[in-house]
Amino acid sequence: MFSSTENPAVIRTDFENQEAWETICRLIRAPVHEGGNVFHAYVDFVEDVQYRDQPVAELLRVLPYDYKHSFLIVVDSESVSRTDFPLLVVDLIKSRGRGFRTVPAMVQSIENNLSIANMGFEEFAEAVDRDRVFRGFRS
């Protein structure tokens, strides 16, 4: 359940591909090494069939008032059907319901920066590539 998550939630809404879900979780849990630093994604995985096929609007409707994070991540049918697993990151503060897609390997950077307000949601949302997926900032 959302309210029991200490960290931002990664919510599974597609239950058709268990292997893809497990791969996504493994990729998000993997540490990222960058510039001599190691980054981890501090997220809680929510795998509850009550959220099966729920659109973002419904997830926002059932989001508890005490959910203390500025975003959530959704693993939906598009996420599990593509080889790069583009997850949907949803803003809960400034532009509630606005989303962008990202590959799992970028969750560490997104979570770390948004959780401490080092960067804003829009900075990531506006840095998507031509496929409309955030894969990191261009140099």
Side-chain angles (χ1 to χ4, degrees):
M1 192 72 182
F2 290 121
S3 61
S4 65
T5 63
E6 185 170 322
N7 299 301
V10 175
I11 304 165
R12 182 181 187 184
T13 64
D14 184 285
F15 288 80
E16 301 305 313
N17 189 333
Q18 183 66 26
E19 184 178 340
W21 167 251
E22 290 172 5
T23 299
I24 289 166
C25 292
R26 188 178 71 251
L27 291 169
I28 292 172
R29 286 184 185 115
V32 171
H33 301 269
E34 186 176 301
N37 296 310
V38 179
F39 300 96
H40 298 272
Y42 298 97
V43 298
D44 291 332
F45 295 94
V46 178
E47 185 177 10
D48 188 326
V49 293
Q50 73 176 339
Y51 303 117
R52 177 190 299 269
D53 300 325
Q54 294 297 312
V56 169
E58 180 62 17
L59 294 174
L60 294 176
R61 191 185 72 71
V62 301
L63 191 69
Y65 179 74
D66 64 348
Y67 183 80
K68 59 185 176 185
H69 310 288
S70 65
F71 67 99
L72 58 89
I73 300 170
V74 180
V75 180
D76 59 8
S77 59
E78 184 172 346
S79 303
V80 301
S81 66
R82 292 179 41 186
T83 57
D84 58 348
F85 306 117
L87 312 172
L88 182 60
V89 183
V90 181
D91 184 21
L92 301 177
I93 305 295
K94 192 171 183 179
S95 298
R96 188 172 174 86
R98 179 182 182 192
F100 68 89
R101 295 215 172 252
T102 189
V103 292
M106 289 290 105
V107 170
Q108 296 84 343
S109 176
I110 294 165
E111 181 279 320
N112 289 188
N113 283 291
L114 292 181
S115 291
I116 63 170
N118 185 49
M119 296 179 73
F121 186 91
E122 63 282 347
E123 292 176 81
F124 291 99
E126 293 169 4
V128 296
D129 63 14
R130 60 184 156 86
D131 293 333
R132 307 200 41 83
V133 176
F134 178 75
R135 299 175 197 283
F137 291 103
R138 294 178 206 101
S139 301

